């Protein structure tokens, strides 16, 4: 995964809402429900995501991240503006050695190989199920959630190239005796090493030129 130039992700949260913690002004924190997001990661430090959020009303937002700086187009298609720093957020950590995704996978416990399964798109994947602390998986969800307890992680790996097909993170704290519903984050991985399909905001391009 760390040797890959680009990949795309679809991110969904299903079951009872589990809020993201966002700040658009650097001071106030708002809770938002993520309905669906599509993203492309460009190694080693860029991410573009189009995300559908419920913040009282449903809005669509574009967010471009490079290292620890983010720009937002809110609503999607509007002018870009730079977001204030978000504590611990740095998109370059996602695929960095010993951090982000590698850290999460290396700190799984109670690992079970469930066998080969057919995913909803008809592809075959090796299903691995494990547990982890909430802190371990924060990096997988860009440090935008604050899990209160342990999580269950289900990883589906393409046996042909050993790349991720799907990762599901179940928030165990949301399971109760009164209901079978549970909050699950689904991250689907696809389009490995495809061409970059987004353009960075002009402000970000200008800053990158100045830094160079």
């Amino acid at each position: 995964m760390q040797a890959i130039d680009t990949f795309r992700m679809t991110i969904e949260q299903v079951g009872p809402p589990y809020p993201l913690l966002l700040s658009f002004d650097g001071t106030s924190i708002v809770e938002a429900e993520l309905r669906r997001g599509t993203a492309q990661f460009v190694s080693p430090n860029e991410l573009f995501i189009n995300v559908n959020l419920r913040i009282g009303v449903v809005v669509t937002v574009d967010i471009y991240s490079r290292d620890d700086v983010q720009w937002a187009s809110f609503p999607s298609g509007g002018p870009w503006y730079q977001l204030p720093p978000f504590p611990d957020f740095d998109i370059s950590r996602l695929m960095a050695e010993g951090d982000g995704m590698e850290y999460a996978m290396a700190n799984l416990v109670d690992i079970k190989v469930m066998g080969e399964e057919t995913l909803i798109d008809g592809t075959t994947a090796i299903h691995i199920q494990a547990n982890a602390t909430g802190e371990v998986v924060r990096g997988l969800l860009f440090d935008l959630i604050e899990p209160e307890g342990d999580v269950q992680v289900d990883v589906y790996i393409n046996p042909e190239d050993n790349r991720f097909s799907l990762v599901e993170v179940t928030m165990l704290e949301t399971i109760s005796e009164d209901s079978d519903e549970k909050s699950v984050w689904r991250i689907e991985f696809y389009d490995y090493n495809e061409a970059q399909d987004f353009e960075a905001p002009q402000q970000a391009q200008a800053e990158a030129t100045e830094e160079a």
Side-chain angles (χ1 to χ4, degrees):
M1 292 290 292
Q2 290 168 335
I4 291 165
D5 293 327
T6 68
F7 59 82
R8 293 189 177 93
M9 297 179 286
T10 296
I11 306 167
E12 296 179 296
Q13 193 257 306
V14 297
Y18 199 96
L20 295 170
L21 303 178
L22 305 176
S23 177
F24 294 101
D25 59 9
T27 303
S28 57
I29 300 294
V30 297
E31 292 189 355
E33 296 175 18
L34 183 146
R35 297 163 64 87
R36 180 182 175 87
T38 56
Q40 185 181 37
F41 176 80
V42 178
S43 182
N45 62 345
E46 290 183 279
L47 181 82
F48 178 91
I49 183 168
N50 174 271
V51 62
N52 190 268
L53 300 172
R54 181 184 293 277
I55 312 174
V57 297
V58 176
V59 295
T60 302
V61 184
D62 293 331
I63 299 176
Y64 169 78
S65 304
R66 189 184 69 230
D67 292 319
D68 60 351
V69 184
Q70 299 182 84
W71 289 263
S73 173
F74 181 86
S76 176
W80 289 94
Y81 65 95
Q82 187 171 332
L83 294 175
F86 197 85
D88 300 324
F89 180 90
D90 187 336
I91 201 63
S92 67
R93 295 178 55 193
L94 180 63
M95 297 304 296
E97 184 176 351
D99 206 343
M101 198 170 288
E102 180 181 329
Y103 178 80
M105 294 301 109
N107 285 276
L108 298 178
V109 296
D110 303 326
I111 299 172
K112 302 174 185 176
V113 179
M114 310 299 288
E116 288 197 355
E117 298 183 16
T118 301
L119 300 180
I120 194 169
D121 63 359
T123 60
T124 299
I126 299 170
H127 179 192
I128 297 173
Q129 187 176 89
N131 292 326
T133 65
E135 181 63 27
V136 165
V137 299
R138 281 185 60 187
L140 287 179
L141 296 167
F142 314 112
D143 290 312
L144 298 178
I145 62 168
E146 295 281 354
E148 295 179 5
D150 291 347
V151 299
Q152 176 181 298
V153 181
D154 291 87
V155 182
Y156 298 83
I157 299 172
N158 186 327
E160 295 182 2
D161 54 23
N162 292 327
R163 297 171 180 170
F164 289 137
S165 295
L166 175 69
V167 174
E168 294 183 331
V169 180
T170 301
M171 316 306 290
L172 296 179
E173 70 198 70
T174 63
I175 300 175
S176 69
E177 297 180 356
D178 300 327
S179 174
D180 293 331
E181 287 193 296
K182 52 193 176 184
S183 291
V184 180
W185 294 88
R186 302 182 74 255
I187 310 171
E188 182 183 357
F189 297 82
Y190 55 99
D191 284 355
Y192 287 98
N193 290 327
E194 293 291 326
Q196 179 174 327
D197 65 0
F198 63 86
E199 186 172 312
Q202 290 185 352
Q203 303 96 309
Q205 294 181 41
E207 288 190 11
T209 300
E210 291 177 2
E211 291 172 2

